Amino acid sequence: MASRSADSRSGSGSSPTIDTVSLAIIEQLQEDGRRPYAAIGKAVGLSEAAVRQRVQKLLDQGVMQIVAVTDPLTVGFRRQAMVGIQVEGDLDPVAEALTGMDECEYVVMTAGSFDLMVEVVCEDDDHLLEVINKRIRALPGVRSTESFVYLKLKKQTYMWGTR
């Protein structure tokens, strides 16, 4: 599975220029992250070696990652939640602290009712309570949190393609 890394989505710094062939390679990997480079090359009109080089460059630039995506509930994590956080002052220190927590899988700055939205994956309810109450709420600048506990994962894909 291919997806953009957090750095390439953050909007900070300059974005790498990606041509149509690289976009086609990304789409091939989004369909099947284990697709052989030779098959990708045939689909996009490059040699296997050229595809390998381009994929490595895309990985090195942080444009994408190739990972195995799981349903956390099936691999021992019994509780997931989205946590909305309101922050007083600068968001960056709070966001940076959250990115350092293993349980925080997704951290995004938002406009609206919450300043930050954080997806948290935990072993159980006690672990979730510890993360929210003892770690997130304890961060300097955190004014309030609201938790949205996941009851069942119905869809999780990374197949939005490219533009």
Side-chain angles (χ1 to χ4, degrees):
M1 178 60 62
S3 69
R4 296 179 185 186
S5 74
D7 290 340
S8 68
R9 290 183 302 205
S10 67
S12 63
S14 61
S15 297
T17 303
I18 303 171
D19 65 14
T20 57
V21 175
S22 290
L23 290 174
I25 291 170
I26 292 168
E27 288 177 343
Q28 289 285 310
L29 288 168
Q30 282 180 322
E31 289 175 14
D32 180 358
R34 299 185 311 157
R35 184 165 287 153
Y37 291 146
I40 295 171
K42 189 176 218 175
V44 302
L46 293 177
S47 69
E48 179 179 350
V51 171
R52 185 180 317 280
Q53 289 174 344
R54 281 184 180 247
V55 167
Q56 190 59 54
K57 184 177 179 184
L58 292 166
L59 294 169
D60 292 345
Q61 290 177 329
V63 171
M64 68 177 191
Q65 299 173 353
I66 300 173
V67 299
V69 177
T70 63
D71 175 351
L73 296 174
T74 64
V75 292
F77 295 97
R78 299 284 173 236
R79 184 58 66 214
Q80 285 182 271
M82 185 65 70
V83 181
I85 303 170
Q86 292 181 335
V87 176
E88 291 178 343
D90 189 1
L91 300 180
D92 284 324
V94 178
E96 285 303 314
L98 293 167
T99 62
M101 295 181 190
D102 289 340
E103 294 87 354
C104 297
E105 295 294 321
Y106 177 78
V107 178
V108 63
M109 294 178 178
T110 62
S113 300
F114 300 106
D115 299 306
L116 299 166
M117 295 293 290
V118 180
E119 185 175 41
V120 179
V121 179
C122 295
E123 295 169 11
D124 54 31
D125 287 337
D126 289 336
H127 185 199
L128 177 62
L129 179 61
E130 185 267 327
V131 169
I132 293 170
N133 196 43
K134 303 286 187 202
R135 295 172 56 200
I136 294 175
R137 289 183 178 159
L139 293 172
V142 171
R143 183 176 15 158
S144 66
T145 64
E146 184 173 347
S147 302
F148 304 88
V149 176
Y150 298 3
L151 299 176
K152 185 171 187 154
L153 179 65
K154 293 297 284 184
K155 181 178 182 179
Q156 176 175 293
T157 64
Y158 299 92
M159 299 291 295
W160 55 80
T162 58
R163 304 272 184 272

